[in-house]
Amino acid sequence: MVELETGGFENLICSYVITGKHPILVESGPTSSVPRLLAGLHELDIPFEDVQYVAVTHVHLDHAGGAGTLIKSLPNAEVIVHPRGAPHLIDPERLWASSQSVLGFISEIFGKPEPVPKERLIPMTEGTFNLWDGAKLDVRETVGHASHNLSFYESFNGGIFPGDAAGTYLQAFDVIVPTTPPPFHLDAALASLDKLINLNPTVLYFSHFGKATDAIQRLRDHKVQLQLWADIAIDGVRKNQSLEQIRDRIITGDKVMNSIIGFVRSHRIYSKTMLENCVLGFIEYAKTIDK
Ligand SMILES: [Zn+2]
């Protein structure tokens, strides 16, 4: 794991390196932390020309915004991405504009993405890459958080890199919180979690943030948590409640959220993403099912 220290924030975003004859990076991270990621590779004694793939879970700025900048320094690397995400890596202008309007100051912390040349992309939804000694990296489509989220399963440790398909892991509290900005699709997210559970994983490597054990139990608990937030949002929308009212009901109703609320409120980024964008994702979803 390479801690990217994006914008000076610790425990926010990380990349992973699967070492071996042809190292694979999981997540480029945002543009602003590419120098930190390259320094991490250097510290791990991985020559830049050895890196074969940069596997990005989805094209949001915090996961893949730096891909174009990164591969300028990795001459032999190709970028694995979902076909629906590929156009945004080739031409990131629209993604940058929408990120600025949704994320505001946070998009500036991540930095503007540079394009990835089309010939260096490997668009795929499902597939397998052979690593070493029979170890494999499986690609699985796990949509919900985004319509183009991929998860990667490595058979060596039985570990999954879910991107944002399994929530945000707050290591200091050992809890998971939904990451569900609009457009969020609950049914797809639950089906994706089932898909991950069926891989029988032992560990989860969160991009936000770090390694968690007891993978299957955590994935099951996260399904229950998503359904709880959805039930509150659906009821709140029916009662014409505001985002603030629905958010407060979630904080009261979800014991995980309740236990970390002081930390979340005081966090410059999480106070916006978890308490505004993620709640809004459920509200927009609730509005679609009430029609
Ligand atoms: Zn993310």
Side-chain angles (χ1 to χ4, degrees):
M1 187 188 96
V2 179
E3 153 72 278
L4 296 181
E5 297 168 8
T6 305
F9 288 90
E10 289 184 353
N11 307 319
L12 185 68
I13 308 172
C14 59
S15 293
Y16 292 90
V17 190
I18 302 172
T19 55
K21 196 167 167 221
H22 302 292
I24 299 177
L25 287 184
V26 179
E27 312 286 46
S28 68
T31 308
S32 62
S33 13
V34 167
R36 175 69 205 112
L37 177 54
L38 291 170
L41 286 178
H42 188 71
E43 284 160 27
L44 290 165
D45 281 329
I46 295 173
F48 293 173
E49 58 272 21
D50 283 8
V51 177
Q52 188 168 23
Y53 301 114
V54 177
V56 298
T57 59
H58 60 301
V59 303
H60 291 168
L61 297 186
D62 46 333
H63 298 258
T69 308
L70 177 67
I71 61 164
K72 285 186 184 172
S73 298
L74 307 178
N76 298 313
E78 294 177 292
V79 179
I80 301 167
V81 64
H82 192 288
R84 278 194 286 270
H88 298 288
L89 294 188
I90 296 167
D91 177 7
E93 286 300 328
R94 251 181 59 217
L95 177 70
W96 174 239
S98 71
S99 302
Q100 283 179 302
S101 77
V102 174
L103 293 173
F105 73 92
I106 300 172
S107 60
E108 303 296 336
I109 291 174
F110 293 158
K112 187 176 180 186
E114 293 188 277
V116 178
K118 193 176 177 202
E119 61 275 15
R120 296 189 67 181
L121 289 177
I122 305 178
M124 67 189 304
T125 50
E126 306 261 335
T128 299
F129 291 85
N130 289 314
L131 304 179
W132 70 97
D133 295 341
K136 290 176 183 158
L137 187 74
D138 289 318
V139 181
R140 291 289 179 269
E141 184 182 58
T142 48
V143 296
H145 166 84
S147 64
H148 65 280
N149 194 102
L150 297 176
S151 293
F152 305 106
Y153 171 79
E154 56 85 10
S155 62
F156 193 70
N157 298 299
I160 287 175
F161 304 90
D164 283 343
T168 293
Y169 178 54
L170 296 177
Q171 209 164 36
F173 300 90
D174 196 26
V175 297
I176 290 173
V177 181
T179 176
T180 53
F184 171 63
H185 298 285
L186 177 69
D187 297 338
L190 295 174
S192 295
L193 288 166
D194 281 333
K195 202 184 232 188
L196 296 182
I197 289 167
N198 286 336
L199 289 168
N200 208 19
T202 52
V203 289
L204 298 167
Y205 303 106
F206 287 91
S207 308
H208 320 286
F209 177 98
K211 175 180 164 182
T213 53
D214 298 326
I216 292 177
Q217 190 58 49
R218 287 183 200 275
L219 294 168
R220 286 188 182 137
D221 290 347
H222 189 53
K223 283 182 66 185
V224 173
Q225 188 184 33
L226 289 180
Q227 192 64 61
L228 171 70
W229 284 43
D231 291 345
I232 293 172
I234 291 164
D235 186 65
V237 165
R238 283 192 183 138
K239 290 175 177 156
N240 266 324
Q241 290 183 322
S242 65
L243 184 144
E244 290 74 18
Q245 287 171 311
I246 292 171
R247 177 197 63 202
D248 290 347
R249 285 182 63 190
I250 288 172
I251 293 167
T252 313
D254 179 3
K255 62 180 189 306
V256 168
M257 206 57 196
N258 199 273
S259 69
I260 57 166
I261 190 60
F263 167 76
V264 175
R265 280 198 207 282
S266 66
H267 195 284
R268 233 177 112 220
I269 290 183
Y270 289 150
S271 58
K272 177 165 170 62
T273 56
M274 285 180 189
L275 298 179
E276 292 178 27
N277 299 9
C278 295
V279 175
L280 188 61
F282 278 96
I283 291 174
E284 305 269 303
Y285 159 77
K287 284 179 181 164
T288 64
I289 63 157
D290 253 16
K291 274 178 194 150

